[in-house]
Amino acid sequence: MYDPPLPAVPLPADLTSLIKARERAQNDESQLATLYAHDAMMLNTQDTDAPSWIRGNQAVAKEAAIYFDEPYRITPVSYQIDGSSAFIAGYYTAIKDKSPRHLAHLFLSLKKEDGSWRIVTELPGFPGPPHRDPSTADQLIRQLDDAGIQKAVV
């Protein structure tokens, strides 16, 4: 049994603004590049045999733009602000289904530049937390039948 995913937490308005901009820019390299600090880094986890660091806002934006084919949102589960530095931990969450599904873990380190938050480091972690759809009564009965259980109290 796995621990359930952590619940979402509200962010302060300025961090929410950055996250919403990051969500809107999903596959748009030029828009993404404006959200990253000039010296940004991203851990490239697409090559599971040899993860590597990518450096620079343009290179990071190019990589981030290809991570997901489907729309997603960012679900924050923790954050901290310390002056001009901050972090957000959370999930990339699929939004095409009625029930959200966390696709991957996410850690962002941030810094404030010229009054705006910029992403310094983006660490995606695949896969996301385990997802299990609720079982229906018919599925439960079938599982009991398969196990040879003829009587049960549910």
Side-chain angles (χ1 to χ4, degrees), residues 43-121:
L43 183 61
N44 172 4
T45 57
Q46 295 286 27
D47 183 356
T48 56
D49 292 334
S52 58
W53 287 104
I54 297 168
R55 183 186 299 265
N57 65 326
Q58 298 293 328
V60 169
K62 183 176 182 179
E63 185 67 21
I66 65 169
Y67 263 57
F68 299 100
D69 294 330
E70 299 292 329
Y72 62 89
R73 70 174 189 259
I74 293 173
T75 305
V77 298
S78 179
Y79 77 93
Q80 183 175 339
I81 299 173
D82 185 9
S84 62
S85 298
F87 77 79
I88 299 171
Y91 306 110
Y92 298 100
T93 305
I95 58 174
K96 70 177 187 171
D97 300 324
K98 289 181 182 177
S99 64
R101 174 146 191 220
H102 302 307
L103 305 169
H105 297 87
L106 168 69
F107 184 85
L108 300 173
S109 68
L110 313 171
K111 70 178 174 181
K112 205 167 225 183
E113 292 182 335
D114 302 322
S116 297
W117 287 105
R118 297 283 182 259
I119 301 168
V120 177
T121 310

